[in-house]
Amino acid sequence: MATRKSDVIALFDVDGTLTMPRLKAKDDMIAFLKDLRSKIMVGMVGGSDLVKQKEQLGDDVLQMFDYAFSENGLVAFKDGEPLASQDIQSFLGEENLKKLINFILHYIADLDIPIKRGTFIEFRKGMLNVSPIGRNCSHQERCEFEVYDKEHKVREKFVAILEEKFKDLGLKYSIGGQISFDVFPIGWDKTYCLKFVDHVPTIHFFGDKTYEGGNDFEIFTSDRTVSYTVYQSLSTVLTSLTPRSVTQWCLRKTQCSSANRFSFEVTKSPIY
């Protein structure tokens, strides 16, 4: 039996990559991850907190991966054991945090969109998650808002206003998923998790929101990663997916010869 490689790790985003947004992972996806982990190290990094990651990937999520990163790695685990954690409350201080939350709530109150539900701000350990429609919306309402947002740029406009209003707080705003965006200190994006795997020579990253402003962009463009844009959830193609062919359904990051831009090409190169 071949020895598992310890010099390669495959690091996966959750929503839109391992699962459809906020839905549970399919059984064949879980089996795929288990198979891949027998060959190389495997990790996951998501913006959601651990509770939501358990809802999507199972209660044993920490045992499924060598490294598991909640809230972009601000809450980190190795082999199921805690590594470290950070919190936005200490970073901002109560007065700044209160001003930010009050402004967000006033803005949403005045926002004219087709429907609103509840839980417009979710206070997480390392970030705020802001949803104009509210996280209590149904799956159907979530999908409808995503379509509406693509046309009307609700989140994009909201983020632009916050960037100007609170430009002195050192915050980053990252649009992810279908209905929300994250607010966190600069540097606390998904590249934060890379400090925990920096000893691994080769880090493959797979994510869907890799465009500028998306919550996978910074880690996608990091010099430390060999990165891929997943243009359909891996869980939708698993009938023919094997670890060696995983990149058939991704777009690989390649450096252009001029400027500091990235071009994309379909790749079938193995990751181990």
Side-chain angles (χ1 to χ4, degrees):
M1 181 179 295
T3 303
R4 189 176 82 134
K5 291 187 175 182
S6 60
D7 60 348
V8 181
I9 185 169
L11 192 58
F12 295 92
D13 167 52
V14 182
D15 275 354
T17 301
L18 294 180
T19 76
M20 298 302 288
R22 291 297 301 129
L23 297 182
K24 290 185 177 181
K26 295 181 178 179
D27 290 341
D28 47 4
M29 171 56 77
I30 302 301
F32 161 73
L33 291 170
K34 183 178 180 180
D35 182 26
L36 183 60
R37 195 179 177 200
S38 71
K39 312 296 193 307
I40 61 174
M41 292 194 293
V42 177
M44 69 88 177
V45 54
S48 295
D49 56 29
L50 182 59
V51 172
K52 291 184 178 62
Q53 290 173 341
K54 285 184 175 181
E55 290 173 355
Q56 291 178 264
L57 296 170
D59 290 335
D60 60 343
V61 62
L62 296 182
Q63 286 70 50
M64 290 170 55
F65 299 93
D66 296 280
Y67 290 88
F69 301 115
S70 302
E71 303 185 40
N72 294 348
L74 299 173
V75 181
F77 300 87
K78 178 184 179 183
D79 297 325
E81 297 298 323
L83 277 176
S85 66
Q86 291 276 14
D87 68 270
I88 191 172
Q89 188 174 348
S90 298
F91 177 87
L92 285 177
E94 286 296 344
E95 194 62 29
N96 284 330
L97 186 60
K98 183 173 66 175
K99 289 179 180 178
L100 175 63
I101 290 175
N102 284 346
F103 183 88
I104 290 171
L105 290 174
H106 278 293
Y107 184 92
I108 292 175
D110 295 333
L111 191 61
D112 185 15
I113 55 178
I115 62 170
K116 294 179 185 176
R117 294 300 180 248
T119 311
F120 300 103
I121 300 178
E122 185 172 80
F123 190 89
R124 299 175 180 171
K125 191 172 181 63
M127 67 181 71
L128 302 180
N129 179 263
V130 180
S131 175
I133 186 178
R135 297 195 63 89
N136 290 354
C137 62
S138 67
H139 180 68
Q140 179 63 34
E141 291 166 342
R142 171 185 288 266
C143 294
E144 290 171 354
F145 177 81
E146 182 181 26
V147 173
Y148 181 86
D149 186 50
K150 285 180 179 178
E151 179 181 353
H152 297 278
K153 311 293 184 185
V154 176
R155 290 181 292 176
E156 186 177 317
K157 293 174 183 176
F158 198 166
V159 163
I161 289 171
L162 289 171
E163 286 176 332
E164 176 60 28
K165 178 72 176 179
F166 297 98
K167 57 186 176 183
D168 297 329
L169 292 187
L171 295 174
K172 177 77 174 179
Y173 305 86
S174 183
I175 296 173
Q178 296 172 294
I179 62 168
S180 64
F181 61 89
D182 296 326
V183 183
F184 49 82
I186 292 172
W188 288 19
D189 51 66
K190 287 183 180 176
T191 59
Y192 189 90
C193 77
L194 295 178
K195 66 171 65 180
F196 301 109
V197 292
D198 193 52
H199 61 285
V200 183
T202 303
I203 305 170
H204 293 274
F205 172 72
F206 300 85
D208 65 314
K209 297 288 192 299
T210 59
Y211 49 82
E212 189 166 6
N215 64 357
D216 295 322
F217 177 75
E218 290 81 8
I219 191 170
F220 177 80
T221 55
S222 169
D223 291 338
R224 281 294 286 119
T225 61
V226 180
S227 296
Y228 309 82
T229 296
V230 177
Y231 59 89
Q232 58 176 310
S233 172
L234 295 179
S235 62
T236 66
V237 293
L238 277 176
T239 53
S240 57
L241 188 64
T242 63
R244 278 191 178 274
S245 65
V246 65
T247 55
Q248 289 184 20
W249 288 274
C250 302
L251 298 177
R252 184 173 180 176
K253 176 185 73 176
T254 56
Q255 187 72 47
C256 287
S257 57
S258 61
N260 186 27
R261 298 180 179 179
F262 294 92
S263 63
F264 308 107
E265 61 181 9
V266 175
T267 176
K268 296 184 180 180
S269 303
I271 62 174
Y272 64 88

